[in-house]
């Protein structure tokens, strides 16, 4: 495999040639090649992605990126710009569909599983976006996930940890229904019982 000339290859986070060949076409065209003007991108996109994956893998601060990667401010700006324009979601969804096809399944799922997980919030998380999960004894946020039967992510919302699963499920299922009209069956545990079932029966059919 080829290695970017200005930075070492990190097996746990760097893209291989095969991975880059799949991801590159999924990225939006640079501004200067899409009829919107602007200067050519100074740093190779593959190297920018390697820097982002290195940061996520290690859980480090932006300014702790090793020498050889593009400047931290450049990597951060590119990450934010792509997040704002929906690039990450589009790439994720395309890769998920490719995995389903590779496994011999239809890219559009017919069933899903929903659940939630409370995550302890860091001291920097403001009180307005955090809450207390009395059952798990966790002060922070809660991520509500919908996955296919293979565990691949279909939809996610993040709330305060104190929000009940059945209350957040309204938003989660509404978003799931909007994006995947093929889903006819959803599995959930007892935490979603009660009025949520009646709502789903009338609103998601």
């Amino acid at each position: 495999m080829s290695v970017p000339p200005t930075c070492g290859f990190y097996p746990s986070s760097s893209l291989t040639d095969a991975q880059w060949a799949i991801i590159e076409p999924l990225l939006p065209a640079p501004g200067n090649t899409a009829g919107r003007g602007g200067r050519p991108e100074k740093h190779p996109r593959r190297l920018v992605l390697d820097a982002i994956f290195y940061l996520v893998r290690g859980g480090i601060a932006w300014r702790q990126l090793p020498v050889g990667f593009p400047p931290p401010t450049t990597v951060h700006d590119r990450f934010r710009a792509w997040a704002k324009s929906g690039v990450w979601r589009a790439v994720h969804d395309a890769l998920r569909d490719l995995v389903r096809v590779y496994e011999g399944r239809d890219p559009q799922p017919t069933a899903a599983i929903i659940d939630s997980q409370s995550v302890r919030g860091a001291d920097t998380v403001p009180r307005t976006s955090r809450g207390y999960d009395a059952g798990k004894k966790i002060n922070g946020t809660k991520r509500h996930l919908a996955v296919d039967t293979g565990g691949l992510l279909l939809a996610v919302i993040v709330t305060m940890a104190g929000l009940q699963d059945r209350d957040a499920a309204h938003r989660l299922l509404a978003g799931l229904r909007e994006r995947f009209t093929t889903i006819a069956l959803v599995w959930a545990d007892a935490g979603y019982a009660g009025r949520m079932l009646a709502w789903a029966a009338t609103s998601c059919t």
Side-chain angles (χ1 to χ4, degrees):
M1 65 185 67
S2 62
V3 179
T6 58
C7 186
F9 184 86
Y10 299 91
S12 64
S13 60
S14 296
L15 289 167
T16 63
D17 290 346
Q19 291 168 339
W20 174 239
I22 294 173
I23 292 180
E24 184 181 19
L26 302 177
L27 299 177
N32 64 303
T33 61
R36 296 192 298 271
R39 294 177 298 175
E41 295 178 350
K42 182 178 180 180
H43 301 280
R45 289 181 158 196
R46 179 174 175 176
L47 197 56
V48 172
L49 282 176
D50 279 352
I52 293 172
F53 295 154
Y54 181 94
L55 184 143
V56 173
R57 177 67 175 176
I60 63 174
W62 293 98
R63 296 191 179 278
Q64 290 179 330
L65 284 171
V67 174
F69 282 126
T73 53
T74 299
V75 178
H76 180 264
D77 289 347
R78 186 70 59 81
F79 173 84
R80 290 291 301 273
W82 284 349
K84 186 176 181 180
S85 62
V87 170
W88 298 119
R89 179 172 178 173
V91 169
H92 169 272
D93 291 351
L95 293 177
R96 180 198 58 230
D97 294 349
L98 286 174
V99 171
R100 288 182 58 87
V101 171
Y102 177 79
E103 294 175 345
R105 297 189 289 171
D106 192 285
Q108 293 296 309
T110 57
I113 305 167
I114 62 173
D115 206 348
S116 68
Q117 180 184 35
S118 294
V119 182
R120 194 175 307 280
D123 295 337
T124 55
V125 178
R127 292 183 178 180
T128 55
S129 60
R130 64 193 300 164
Y132 185 71
D133 183 341
K136 302 293 179 59
K137 295 181 173 55
I138 292 178
N139 190 320
T141 59
K142 182 182 288 188
R143 49 196 178 203
H144 307 265
L145 303 177
V147 300
D148 68 6
T149 54
L152 299 176
L153 184 63
L154 301 175
V156 58
I157 63 170
V158 179
T159 68
M160 295 184 292
L163 187 66
Q164 294 292 326
D165 290 353
R166 58 179 175 270
D167 295 327
H170 291 71
R171 292 168 52 193
L172 184 63
L173 290 178
L176 189 65
R177 182 64 173 172
E178 181 180 352
R179 298 184 60 200
F180 301 99
T181 58
T182 53
I183 292 180
L185 177 63
V186 176
W187 283 284
D189 59 27
Y192 295 91
R195 61 182 180 274
M196 195 278 291
L197 293 178
W199 174 87
T202 59
S203 302
C204 296
T205 56

